[in-house]
Amino acid sequence: MTYLGVDYYPEHWPKEMIDEDLQGIKELGANIVRIGEFAWHLMEPEEGQFDFSYFDHVLDKVKEQGLSVMFGTPTATFPAWLAHKEPSILSVDENGQTRVFGGRRQYCFNSDIYREYAGRITRKLVEHYSSEEAIISWQVDNEFGHEGSDMCYCDQCHSKFQQYLAEKYSSVEALNEKWGTIFWGQTYNDFSEIPAPKPTVTTHNPSLKLEWARFRSFSVNSFTHEMTEIVREAKGSHQDITTNVSGGFFDKWFDHAENVKPMDYVSYDNYPVWGGLEKPVPPEAIAMTHDFNRGLKDQNYWIVEELMGAQGHDVIGYLPRPDQAKMWSYQAFAHGCNNMLYFRWRGMTKGAEQFCYGVVDHDNVYGRKYKEVQSLFTDIQQYERVLESRIESEAAVLYDYDNIWSWRSQIQSKDFDFNEELLRMYRPFYKRNIPIDVIPADRDFSQYKVVVVPVMQMMDESLAERLRSFASGGGTVLFSFRTGLKGKDNNLRLGEVLPGLVRDLTGVRVEEIESLTKEHALELRGEGDFAQTSGTVSVWRDLLVAETAEVLYHYQDQFYEDYAAVTKNEVGKGSVYYIGGGLNEAPLDQMAEQILEERQIEYIDSPEDVEVYRREVDGTSYLFVMNHSPYVKSFDGRQLQPYASEIIKKS
Ligand code: GLA
Ligand code: ZN
C-alpha cells in the first residue's frame, strides 16, 4: 500500500469541521493523515492530567473515512505550564540569552527534567493508542535540531560537556596533549576548567570546537534515542516508528545517520523553496537531499511534509508555479520516496505559521493546489511496485560529519560552503541522470564503481585504506581540495606532505595552497583531452606537483604556470582524480562522461533542466521525467510542458 495524505491539524479548527475536512481529504485521494505532533497541552492541559479524549474523537472520525494515521509525539512544543514551573528546560544561546517560551523546540536536550516530562507524555500517549488499528506509525518529535535548536550553551550543557570529555579522555593531561593546549598557555589542570565555546576574543581551539560539535550530536541523538525507546516499548506491533528529517542537514550539529538508527524508516520534509527565497533551490540540490535521506538507512523513505503552497514565518517568497510542486513530488518518488504526505491540509488563520500555505488556503476553497495534489495521488497509485523497488547505484558521494564540523570550525576561505562543494562534485553525475547514493564515509563503498569524496580534509587510516583497496581493485575515486589535511582530532600532522595518507593514491603532492574567493576565479590551461575545455578555479587552490599522476589542468597565472590544478592517477585497475580547487562545471562534466564511459556506467542524455530517473522492476524500465524549467522541453520524442512530470514505461 502506498500511503498518500496530508498533515492535518484538527485542533486548529472548529470541531464541527472535522467531518467536512476528512471528507475533503478523502476526495483528494488520500488514505492517511498525520496528526498530533504539536498538541501536548491538549493531551496534558495541567501537570499529570492526561486526557486523550479529543484525539479519541478525531480517530473515530478518521476511521469512519477509512483513513490511516501517523501520530506525532508532541515533544517539539511543550506546554507553557511546564516552562513556567521548570524554566531550566529552556535552552540558552551563545550569548547566555534564554530562549523564552513562545516559539518551539526551545528545550535543552541535556535537561534531565525535560527528558522526564517528555518521556512521560510520550509513554502515556503511545500506551493509550498502542492497540489503535488506524495508527500505523509514530513520528518521534518533529524535525530534531532544526531552526538552531540543536545548539545550547546552558550550564547543564556545559557541565555535561566536561563530563563527556572526562569520560572520553583518560586524563586531562591526555586532553591537553591531544588538543595542543600548550598554545596560548591554555593548559587545563582539571576538566572543570574547560569552557563551552561561547564567544571569546579571536577564536577557540579547533579540537575543543570539534569535541563540542560531537557533544551536541551526542546530546541530540541520545535524547532522540531515549524517546524512541519509550515509543518502541509502548507501541503496538502493527505500528512503526520514524522521525522527520528537516532540510539543511549538513548545517546541523548532529550526525543524522546516528540519529535515525533506531527508527524503522526515515521521513523527510521536502521544501525546495522556503521563507524569503526568490526562487527554489536548484534541481540538483533538491535531488541530493533525496539521495541523502535514502542513504541514511540505505532504504526507501517517506516524505511526511511535501510542499504545495508558499511557506514562511514572517517572510515568504517564491510561489510554486502550476505543476511545479507536483513535479517536485515526482522527483521525490523517483529518488526513493515511497509514501508521501503534503504539508498541510489547510493554512492556519492564527499563530506563527499563517503564511505557511497548504493544499487548501484560508478561504477554504478546493482550488488549483487541491486539484494538483488530487491528480498526483491518482497518477502515482498505479506505480506502487516501482516505488517499493530498491535503487541500485553504481556511484556514491561520501560525507563525514566530523569533517563537516572541522570545516565549520575553520572555513579557511571566506566563500567556502560545504553544501556547495559537495554539490560541485555531485552535479556532473546528477546531470547524466544516473542514480547516486549520498552516504556516510564509514559505510562500506566497495560495491560501487565511482566514489566521490568532496573536500575530505579530515582523513583517518581506515578511510584511506578502504579508498586504496577500492581504487586498486578497479574503482574510480574523485577527491577535491584540502584532502587529508587533518586527523580526527582536528589537528594537522607534523612532517606530513599533503594529501597525506592518500598521497600515493593521488600521485601528487601539495606544495603550496591559496585561499581564493568566489569572484577571484583563476583561468586554467587544459592538457590533452581537456585542452579545448575552459577551466577555472575559485574558493580555494592546492598547488600540485604531479609525482605519478597525469596533469589534466595547469594553473597559468604568474609564478604558478608549472603547478598542476587537476590530475588523474592510475592505481592498480582503477583511477584517482584530484581536483585541486573549486573547479567550474565544463571540465567536471567532461570528466564525468569520461569516467562513466571508462566504467561502463549507462547514463541518459537529457536537455538542461530535464531530469530523467530510471527505475527497474522485473526487467521493465520506468523513466521518471521531470521538467524543472518554465520552458517547453523535448525528451524521447515528447513535448514536456513547463514543470511537467510523467513516468514513461519502457519494456
Ligand atoms: C517544517 C515543520 C512544520 C512547519 C513547516 C512549515 O517543516 O515541520 O511544522 O513548520 O516546516 O513550512
Ligand atoms: Zn542546554
Side-chain angles (χ1 to χ4, degrees):
M1 151 101 77
T2 300
Y3 286 100
L4 302 167
V6 293
D7 303 317
Y8 177 43
Y9 301 88
E11 71 272 22
H12 292 174
W13 313 107
K15 214 169 181 175
E16 32 310 323
M17 281 188 80
I18 294 177
D19 285 329
E20 165 201 337
D21 280 343
L22 291 175
Q23 190 59 42
I25 291 168
K26 186 80 190 212
E27 280 155 20
L28 191 63
N31 55 21
I32 189 167
V33 288
R34 183 190 69 175
I35 59 175
E37 78 270 21
F38 299 126
W40 184 339
H41 186 277
L42 204 52
M43 298 178 218
E44 188 183 4
E46 288 186 38
E47 175 162 6
Q49 286 179 22
F50 298 99
D51 173 5
F52 300 106
S53 59
Y54 177 82
F55 284 105
D56 293 348
H57 171 71
V58 171
L59 281 159
D60 290 344
K61 292 291 184 185
V62 165
K63 282 186 280 186
E64 280 171 21
Q65 297 292 341
L67 296 168
S68 297
V69 171
M70 172 182 284
F71 209 119
T73 62
T75 50
T77 51
F78 47 81
W81 57 257
L82 178 53
H84 189 67
K85 179 177 179 221
E86 302 285 358
S88 70
I89 68 167
L90 295 167
S91 63
V92 175
D93 71 17
E94 65 178 10
N95 301 312
Q97 176 62 51
T98 297
R99 290 156 175 156
V100 299
F101 183 83
R104 62 178 174 183
R105 255 197 304 279
Q106 68 284 50
Y107 59 81
C108 167
F109 286 98
N110 285 309
S111 161
D112 295 334
I113 294 173
Y114 192 69
R115 287 185 181 221
E116 198 193 317
Y117 280 93
R120 188 172 67 173
I121 184 68
T122 299
R123 186 182 303 286
K124 291 282 184 190
L125 168 65
V126 178
E127 278 174 353
H128 181 77
Y129 289 122
S130 59
S131 55
E132 174 50 71
E133 284 309 317
I135 298 177
I136 58 144
S137 278
W138 291 98
Q139 172 189 295
V140 181
D141 202 288
N142 191 80
E143 295 192 332
F144 279 115
H146 196 33
E147 294 155 337
S149 60
D150 51 0
M151 192 52 82
C152 176
Y153 294 85
C154 76
D155 297 342
Q156 296 159 124
C157 285
H158 188 187
S159 60
K160 288 202 174 173
F161 176 50
Q162 294 169 337
Q163 209 181 309
Y164 168 88
L165 295 172
E167 279 155 24
K168 183 166 184 177
Y169 290 81
S170 55
S171 66
V172 72
E173 289 74 25
L175 180 145
N176 283 320
E177 174 50 35
K178 185 77 109 173
W179 290 12
T181 53
I182 187 70
F183 183 82
W184 284 349
Q186 295 176 342
T187 304
Y188 299 107
N189 296 344
D190 189 87
F191 288 101
S192 62
E193 295 168 0
I194 300 172
K198 290 182 179 178
T200 186
V201 177
T202 66
T203 186
H204 281 281
N205 173 291
S207 300
L208 182 147
K209 287 198 267 188
L210 178 62
E211 287 294 11
W212 175 252
R214 289 171 174 159
F215 170 71
R216 295 312 315 167
S217 186
F218 171 75
S219 305
V220 174
N221 290 344
S222 58
F223 178 91
T224 304
H225 297 173
E226 184 175 332
M227 294 305 127
T228 306
E229 192 44 39
I230 290 170
V231 175
R232 193 162 293 287
E233 283 163 10
K235 73 176 185 70
S237 57
H238 66 290
Q239 299 168 336
D240 286 334
I241 308 177
T242 186
T243 192
N244 52 337
V245 172
S246 57
F249 36 77
F250 286 139
D251 301 327
K252 299 274 175 21
W253 298 104
F254 65 100
D255 182 323
H256 286 57
E258 183 60 30
N259 183 269
V260 299
K261 257 207 186 104
M263 309 294 169
D264 295 307
Y265 60 87
V266 168
S267 294
Y268 179 52
D269 296 346
N270 185 28
Y271 292 94
V273 62
W274 207 94
L277 286 181
E278 250 175 54
K279 53 185 175 43
V281 297
E284 66 271 21
I286 311 168
M288 188 278 287
T289 68
H290 293 302
D291 296 339
F292 170 88
N293 279 283
R294 191 180 73 247
L296 286 175
K297 289 179 78 69
D298 190 23
Q299 64 184 47
N300 294 353
Y301 57 97
W302 288 48
I303 286 183
V304 295
E305 295 187 23
E306 180 70 23
L307 169 144
M308 182 44 66
Q311 301 289 310
H313 287 162
D314 304 341
V315 178
I316 51 178
Y318 178 87
L319 168 65
R321 298 310 190 250
D323 287 333
Q324 191 170 24
K326 180 179 177 182
M327 180 273 293
W328 285 326
S329 306
Y330 266 82
Q331 182 191 33
F333 284 121
H335 285 258
C337 165
N338 54 3
N339 299 284
M340 180 179 285
L341 292 85
Y342 282 90
F343 182 86
R344 48 181 274 158
W345 166 239
R346 185 175 36 244
M348 179 51 168
T349 53
K350 303 171 182 165
E353 295 197 338
Q354 290 170 333
F355 304 128
C356 290
Y357 289 86
V359 175
V360 176
D361 290 338
H362 313 91
D363 57 14
N364 205 24
V365 173
Y366 295 6
R368 175 189 66 78
K369 294 180 287 178
Y370 182 95
K371 295 187 182 69
E372 190 166 316
V373 173
Q374 203 172 38
S375 69
L376 187 270
F377 283 177
T378 309
D379 297 353
I380 203 72
Q381 280 187 28
Q382 60 190 296
Y383 295 104
E384 182 183 337
R385 290 187 52 241
V386 180
L387 304 187
E388 291 304 334
S389 67
R390 181 175 167 74
I391 292 173
E392 299 289 354
S393 306
E394 297 175 294
V397 174
L398 307 186
Y399 66 86
D400 173 51
Y401 269 96
D402 275 347
N403 179 57
I404 294 171
W405 297 326
S406 164
W407 273 109
R408 287 183 76 178
S409 70
Q410 299 154 303
I411 62 171
Q412 301 168 53
S413 163
K414 78 172 184 59
D415 290 331
F416 177 87
D417 178 299
F418 177 81
N419 295 283
E420 285 176 16
E421 291 311 324
L422 183 139
L423 275 177
R424 187 192 300 278
M425 305 291 284
Y426 171 93
R427 184 181 295 112
F429 295 98
Y430 161 82
K431 286 161 74 174
R432 282 155 188 80
N433 300 309
I434 65 163
I436 306 164
D437 289 351
V438 176
I439 57 172
D442 59 5
R443 187 84 52 82
D444 174 19
F445 49 69
S446 57
Q447 76 277 20
Y448 297 102
K449 289 183 176 175
V450 179
V451 167
V452 179
V453 193
V455 289
M456 193 67 82
Q457 74 172 12
M458 185 167 277
M459 178 80 67
D460 63 6
E461 292 288 354
S462 140
L463 179 56
E465 192 39 47
R466 287 186 297 127
L467 288 165
R468 185 170 292 105
S469 61
F470 172 74
S472 50
T476 294
V477 178
L478 291 90
F479 290 115
S480 66
F481 55 86
R482 279 317 225 169
T483 291
L485 174 71
K486 292 192 167 194
K488 280 280 182 174
D489 53 12
N490 209 16
N491 292 323
L492 308 172
R493 289 176 274 232
L494 179 61
E496 185 176 63
V497 175
L498 297 179
L501 298 173
V502 291
R503 181 177 174 188
D504 62 326
L505 269 187
T506 60
V508 301
R509 69 175 180 276
V510 179
E511 209 141 87
E512 298 199 60
I513 51 102
E514 181 174 30
S515 175
L516 305 171
T517 63
K518 263 205 188 126
E519 304 76 42
H520 182 191
L522 297 172
E523 294 289 327
L524 303 178
R525 183 176 75 250
E527 313 294 353
D529 298 349
F530 292 85
Q532 305 316 315
T533 309
S534 82
T536 62
V537 290
S538 61
V539 181
W540 185 269
R541 68 167 166 178
D542 291 339
L543 292 155
L544 309 172
V545 174
E547 298 181 323
T548 59
E550 171 201 356
V551 178
L552 307 183
Y553 282 91
H554 281 98
Y555 294 105
Q556 59 179 351
D557 57 316
Q558 190 187 10
F559 306 112
Y560 303 115
E561 300 86 346
D562 299 335
Y563 282 103
V566 182
T567 61
K568 177 183 180 184
N569 192 41
E570 301 304 333
V571 177
K573 292 193 238 120
S575 51
V576 177
Y577 291 76
Y578 193 97
I579 318 285
L583 189 60
N584 61 320
E585 281 193 49
L588 284 165
D589 287 340
Q590 185 176 340
M591 231 174 277
E593 272 192 21
Q594 199 183 67
I595 291 165
L596 295 178
E597 259 128 42
E598 268 169 21
R599 294 288 168 251
Q600 288 150 346
I601 298 176
E602 245 186 281
Y603 63 94
I604 303 169
D605 272 325
S606 63
E608 194 181 351
D609 288 336
V610 171
E611 178 182 351
V612 182
Y613 203 100
R614 184 204 315 268
R615 301 284 294 269
E616 298 276 349
V617 180
D618 306 338
T620 302
S621 287
Y622 296 82
L623 300 182
F624 288 68
V625 182
M626 284 72 68
N627 179 2
H628 287 271
S629 83
Y631 311 108
V632 175
K633 296 272 184 173
S634 62
F635 174 76
D636 193 47
R638 286 169 162 75
Q639 288 293 309
L640 301 171
Q641 294 309 309
Y643 304 122
S645 45
E646 64 176 292
I647 298 175
I648 306 171
K649 192 173 172 184
K650 294 266 184 192
S651 6

